[in-house]
Amino acid sequence: MPLKVYNTLTRRKEEFVPLEKGKVKLYVCGVTLYDELHLGHARAAIVFDVVVRYLRHKNYEVNYVTNFTDVDDKMIARAKALKTSVFDLAKRFSADYFRQMKILQVERADHYPRATEHIKEIIELIKRLEEKGLAYCRDGDVFFRVRKFPSYGRLSGQSLENLAAGARIEINENKEDPLDFALWKKAKEGEPSWDSPWGKGRPGWHIECSAMAMKYLGESIDIHGGGRDLIFPHHENEIAQSEAATGKQFARYWMHNGLITLKGQKMSKSVGNVFTLSEALKKYSPEVIRYFFLSAHYRTPLEYDENSLKEAASSLERVYNLFERIRELRESPKKSFSEELQREREDLSKYLNEVEERFTFAMDDDFNTPSVLAVIFEGIKKANLLLQKEELLDEASYQLLLDLEKKIRSIGKILGLFQHQEREKLGERERRLIELLVKVRSKLREKKDWPLADEIRKELNELGIELEDKKDRTVWKVK
RNA sequence: GGCGGCAUAGCCAAGUGGUAAGGCGAAGGACUGCAAAUCCUUUAUCCUCGGUUCGAUUCCGAGUGCCGCCUCCA
């Protein structure tokens, strides 16, 4: 079954066919380096991280480019407010970005181009547009003639008339038409600027993406991604500029991730309801945050609330509990082949035969990660069912359990989940101390000294050490 | 006002033209000295009204509600 991708351009799921067989050119709009990352940025990063991992899993050679906007109005305003330079701001927040992405286990993109490092390419692209009569300079500003690009509005489903009718009052009187947008902005006093054929200035926001995507990926790319809120005007403008300049289709598939909402509203600086990534990371592990994002389909809006994060944590617990149970069996002797386990064994075995196909089916259907998780939990249930009869466990059953764990981990690798090997590595001395306490407690239990035994369990629990009494032994784990 | 999207159990969330995955939570039960973990059972007239159909939650139309975009935004 082929991979199907929802294409914003056509508003349909379409079979994914790359321009060049076996290769994928992917460009995703990144962040503006003017403030801390919030959960919305994290979601976008994780969504496309999974897309890339899956494409690579399918043996596509992926060239993944995501940019940094390191000069624009907000950067300038923010730098001023913090009494620093745009350059320092960019340095600080890009370092922050890489640090947090690492924590979230987001794999590195192949290129992270920055606007200020591609001024030459940007100027060249604007010149091409100017030569074709699609751009005009007025008093140091350069604008794009939107009406010269007839299919403008296709991505956002807007007609030029509607856009014109809905257009807000434009401040800039240099524009021929209110719909026109800036390709190049004349520098104001004290602003960072670069020399250009139109005088000192800096690039408009949209042009950098066109120029950099073309530089690293070529004039036509396979997938262009970003948050839903970028559809208009950013992506619409990118298409106009790029296609007007080259005469070629800019991107074949446009993928947009849904936004994070808080109390039903889009999380954004302007609404003032942002929850930063670092705040979230103080309360929840990176894996919990990843799980939370992947538990919803990437295109739907996702409401941030504490309960959902706690749910994610509990769900992950269930997975790791199973791994822990399987690990517990590593050294215990296996019984001889048991007929009694036949049903559970067959059930799990059947599941193992199908799981890869079901995983692929779900992912091929526009990266349906919630379905993937459901498939995984079915397997977990089957394994637990087999473990119900732990005392009969034979070698064949044990092997099936190992296979299951391996399978879940390999699928998890594509999602960036389920990779922890052991819960927290404790020091040797600490471990032996715990084992000593467990041993003492076992003796107390033999003597039926329940109050004291329970107290030890309770206090260890408060220290994050969880004890579970099995039939013949006590196991412990770090929470 | 225009364009687009969404409405599934207490909550989160997939999905299908033939009465609905999974997770979390809750209740009852099994196991346990008690817990924990695990298992079993229970927990959905799929927003409303029309239409198409043998049959719709799934398709079409209208309505209602919510959200996004039309201005910077992942």
Side-chain angles (χ1 to χ4, degrees):
Chain A
M1 205 189 93
L3 170 63
K4 278 178 294 174
V5 173
Y6 181 87
N7 190 351
T8 307
L9 203 55
T10 55
R11 290 182 198 84
R12 278 203 313 256
K13 278 184 204 169
E14 294 176 357
E15 184 176 334
F16 177 71
V17 182
L19 288 158
E20 202 178 329
K21 198 167 184 295
K23 294 189 177 179
V24 180
K25 303 174 181 57
L26 170 66
Y27 186 93
V28 177
C29 287
V31 296
T32 301
L33 299 169
Y34 80 115
D35 209 343
E36 271 197 80
L37 295 180
H38 65 241
L39 288 168
H41 301 116
R43 184 184 193 190
I46 287 171
V47 161
F48 287 102
D49 182 47
V50 171
V51 166
V52 171
R53 289 184 196 219
Y54 186 63
L55 289 170
R56 290 193 172 133
H57 169 75
K58 285 184 84 87
N59 288 320
Y60 284 109
E61 193 183 303
V62 182
N63 194 178
Y64 175 29
V65 179
T66 187
N67 71 300
F68 288 125
T69 296
D70 59 351
V71 62
D72 80 334
D73 293 344
K74 279 185 300 190
M75 295 277 305
I76 292 168
R78 182 92 170 143
K80 204 178 225 172
L82 294 176
K83 294 193 167 39
T84 182
S85 69
V86 164
F87 176 78
D88 283 337
L89 209 60
K91 198 170 155 190
R92 180 170 138 200
F93 288 117
S94 61
D96 201 51
Y97 177 90
F98 286 118
R99 193 174 52 77
Q100 307 229 54
M101 286 302 118
K102 195 169 178 187
I103 292 171
L104 286 177
Q105 307 279 308
V106 170
E107 287 178 358
R108 285 187 64 98
D110 297 287
H111 302 280
Y112 290 97
R114 297 168 189 237
T116 61
E117 289 167 359
H118 296 83
I119 300 295
K120 191 176 82 133
E121 288 83 354
I122 289 168
I123 288 173
E124 272 163 22
L125 186 56
I126 298 174
K127 274 163 73 182
R128 276 172 88 176
L129 290 167
E130 207 176 23
E131 280 158 21
K132 291 193 172 187
L134 289 150
Y136 58 95
C137 175
R138 289 284 181 284
D139 188 28
D141 286 328
V142 182
F143 300 100
F144 183 86
R145 275 194 182 99
V146 166
R147 289 193 188 271
K148 288 265 183 175
F149 188 73
S151 64
Y152 191 82
R154 186 175 158 211
L155 182 70
S156 52
Q158 300 275 5
S159 66
L160 280 169
E161 292 66 44
N162 284 336
L163 284 165
R168 314 277 168 105
I169 298 136
E170 282 295 332
I171 315 150
N172 199 318
E173 288 162 7
N174 283 331
K175 287 186 186 179
E176 287 176 0
D177 188 298
L179 292 179
D180 292 350
F181 58 89
L183 296 167
W184 186 263
K185 292 185 168 189
K186 181 185 177 177
K188 295 197 186 90
E189 192 57 37
E191 286 182 355
S193 65
W194 290 263
D195 287 323
S196 81
W198 316 283
K200 280 193 175 297
R202 59 188 163 87
W205 175 37
H206 318 295
I207 195 75
E208 65 180 70
C209 287
S210 294
M212 298 189 295
M214 286 185 202
K215 172 169 178 183
Y216 293 94
L217 300 171
E219 294 185 344
S220 276
I221 69 175
D222 292 300
I223 302 174
H224 192 122
R228 280 198 79 83
D229 51 354
L230 295 181
I231 294 173
F232 192 93
H234 187 53
H235 289 336
E236 196 74 72
N237 291 353
E238 275 188 55
I239 292 174
Q241 294 161 345
S242 308
E243 299 189 357
T246 67
K248 295 176 190 157
Q249 181 170 34
F250 181 45
R252 307 235 293 166
Y253 304 89
W254 287 84
M255 287 180 67
H256 293 98
N257 62 276
L259 306 179
I260 299 287
T261 60
L262 196 62
K263 297 205 167 76
Q265 273 201 307
K266 169 185 172 180
M267 183 178 286
S268 82
K269 295 279 289 179
S270 42
V271 182
N273 62 348
V274 290
F275 201 82
T276 65
L277 177 54
S278 57
E279 278 177 279
L281 282 167
K282 275 180 203 151
K283 302 175 91 164
Y284 305 99
S285 73
E287 191 176 17
V288 166
I289 291 170
R290 267 191 98 103
Y291 185 98
F292 167 62
F293 288 142
L294 299 178
S295 68
H297 185 86
Y298 80 89
R299 276 189 284 119
T300 63
L302 182 58
E303 170 77 6
Y304 174 83
D305 81 296
E306 299 283 320
N307 273 340
S308 301
L309 271 291
K310 283 179 190 148
E311 264 182 32
S314 301
S315 304
L316 276 170
E317 265 297 295
R318 188 168 157 84
V319 178
Y320 283 114
N321 275 334
L322 174 67
F323 290 173
E324 199 73 23
R325 283 182 86 180
I326 294 171
R327 204 156 60 84
E328 277 296 318
L329 297 168
R330 200 163 37 186
E331 283 170 18
S332 60
K334 310 299 176 292
K335 307 295 184 299
S336 57
F337 191 81
S338 166
E339 291 298 332
E340 252 189 85
L341 293 178
Q342 195 58 23
R343 173 193 279 262
E344 287 81 358
R345 229 172 9 226
E346 273 174 12
D347 216 30
L348 182 55
S349 175
K350 185 163 171 278
Y351 171 86
L352 283 166
N353 286 331
E354 294 169 347
V355 61
E356 183 68 31
E357 195 185 333
R358 295 180 65 192
F359 162 71
T360 303
F361 184 84
M363 288 299 277
D364 277 350
D365 184 16
D366 196 28
F367 309 97
N368 194 335
T369 54
S371 274
V372 172
L373 294 175
V375 170
I376 286 173
F377 279 101
E378 275 184 47
I380 286 171
K381 174 130 186 177
K382 289 181 199 306
N384 277 323
L385 224 40
L386 189 57
L387 281 162
Q388 272 294 99
K389 297 178 181 167
E390 192 184 317
E391 67 284 351
L392 296 174
L393 198 79
D394 53 42
E395 189 58 36
S397 305
Y398 177 64
Q399 284 306 323
L400 286 175
L401 291 170
L402 289 181
D403 285 350
L404 179 79
E405 176 173 348
K406 204 171 146 199
K407 201 73 225 174
I408 291 174
R409 286 192 190 274
S410 80
I411 288 171
K413 195 156 191 171
I414 292 153
L415 305 176
L417 298 173
F418 318 134
Q419 298 304 298
H420 293 317
Q421 280 306 328
E422 281 175 37
R423 290 173 194 231
E424 193 182 315
K425 293 262 179 1
L426 294 175
E428 177 68 13
R429 181 183 299 213
E430 214 174 349
R431 236 181 49 223
R432 287 171 69 172
L433 277 167
I434 293 165
E435 268 155 29
L436 179 66
L437 277 167
V438 170
K439 204 163 134 194
V440 170
R441 181 171 167 276
S442 295
K443 302 239 165 172
L444 288 168
R445 290 182 67 226
E446 275 169 33
K447 292 183 188 166
K448 303 207 188 297
D449 186 346
W450 310 124
L452 197 50
D454 289 350
E455 197 181 325
I456 292 172
R457 182 173 63 195
K458 184 165 163 268
E459 295 204 6
L460 279 174
N461 196 280
E462 278 158 15
L463 291 169
I465 310 294
E466 208 165 67
L467 302 193
E468 287 179 25
D469 295 324
K470 303 272 179 177
K471 279 214 163 62
D472 52 345
R473 72 209 139 95
T474 297
V475 301
W476 64 274
K477 65 190 182 195
V478 182
K479 272 201 289 193

